[in-house]
Amino acid sequence: MIILKSKKEKNNILVLKKKTRETGDILTLKFSLLKGPVFSFRPGQFVLVSFLDDRLGKQCRAYSISSCPQDKFLTLTVKKIGVFSSALHKLKIGEKVKIGSPQGNFYPEKPMKNLVFLAAGIGIAPFYSVINTYFRQGINNKNLTLFYSNKTDKNIVFFKELNKLAKKWRKFKIIYILTKQKKDCNDENEEFQRLNIKILKKYLKDLNNKHYFICGPIEFVNDLWQALRKNGVGEDSIKTEVFY
Ligand SMILES: Cc1cc2nc3c(=O)[nH]c(=O)nc-3n(C[C@H](O)[C@H](O)[C@H](O)COP(=O)(O)OP(=O)(O)OC[C@H]3O[C@@H](n4cnc5c(N)ncnc54)[C@H](O)[C@@H]3O)c2cc1C
């Protein structure tokens, strides 16, 4: 995926400090900045990452920042898919990468009270930053519903962390969508089929007066965007981020 860099863009050098395995094919990479404190960014934004040496030529890829602006470090949560993400997984502690300025506007811009986040797989990364930031800022008077789709519960990223937040934040509700797992008895707030409009209606009751954010592969984002639009949700109330 190629994204043109603006002339104003400033590069930062990150040093890898820690690798945490989240699931079989997903790692969270914790970096510190080589110089100075972490730059300011909005939770939900992404950075373009490239290597300092020529192991992958001049290639770069976009990764959402999964940490919060208040953190003294910066994390990227990366699913191993192809050449670039595999190289990031192989990165050794102490090795460096280059990142551009934070980009994107995948975050609630104005005060929004009723938020609905729809994530598939690694699409949870930008939401994790937004959810944690809200919680830490004490903006937990919002109604926030997260529909998080994965093949099975073994693929859920940040499972413990998200559940911990939901326990402390009464208005934050998580519905896990497990598309390739059989239903069992203890499955409150779990659905065992692809995320669809029926499921959204079941939990949200009224689709109106809410702001929707959708993140994941193109098919997931397109299907849900269209389903919401067909059911009367205005274009202005839906923001999307596709992980190409
Ligand atoms: C705004 C933005 C934010 C992103 N944030 C993240 C993030 O936080 N974490 C993260 O892991 N990735 C994220 N991505 C995706 C990331 O930029 C890379 O595309 C991804 O890591 C694959 O790159 P690769 O070189 O490893 O695979 P490639 O060699 O480019 O692709 C290998 C094969 O996998 C297919 N493929 C590529 N991406 C996917 C996918 N998501 N699902 C299924 N098949 C795929 C390709 O079509 C190709 O056939 C983001 C993308 C965008 C545009």
Side-chain angles (χ1 to χ4, degrees), residues 1 3 46 59 61-65 76-86 122 125-126 217 241-244:
M1 142 125 253
I3 300 177
F46 65 90
Q59 285 195 63
R61 293 283 190 281
Y63 292 95
S64 302
I65 303 171
L76 305 176
T77 302
V78 179
K79 179 173 179 176
K80 190 171 165 185
I81 288 175
V83 184
F84 202 93
S85 51
S86 299
I122 189 61
E241 185 101 286
V242 176
F243 279 11
Y244 289 103

Side-chain angles (χ1 to χ4, degrees), residues 38-75:
V38 171
F39 47 83
S40 69
F41 64 92
R42 300 282 301 254
Q45 286 193 303
F46 65 90
V47 286
L48 287 180
V49 181
S50 55
F51 291 95
L52 292 175
D53 56 26
D54 57 1
R55 77 187 80 175
L56 286 179
K58 288 199 166 33
Q59 285 195 63
C60 62
R61 293 283 190 281
Y63 292 95
S64 302
I65 303 171
S66 53
S67 50
C68 299
Q70 306 94 315
D71 289 330
K72 290 196 173 81
F73 51 86
L74 191 131
T75 64

Side-chain angles (χ1 to χ4, degrees), residues 129-178:
S129 174
V130 176
I131 293 167
N132 264 310
T133 304
Y134 277 156
F135 185 73
R136 289 197 214 165
Q137 288 174 343
I139 319 177
N140 44 21
N141 60 339
K142 288 179 192 296
N143 291 309
L144 172 53
T145 311
L146 168 67
F147 292 85
Y148 185 17
S149 176
N150 282 285
K151 285 181 185 159
T152 70
D153 54 8
K154 291 199 170 44
N155 305 110
I156 301 174
V157 188
F158 306 131
F159 184 62
K160 278 190 194 147
E161 295 86 343
L162 287 168
N163 291 341
K164 236 187 197 174
L165 287 175
K167 263 196 180 164
K168 293 186 193 158
W169 178 354
R170 205 172 42 82
K171 294 184 172 182
F172 173 39
K173 193 170 179 181
I174 311 171
I175 293 99
Y176 291 108
I177 313 291
L178 303 170

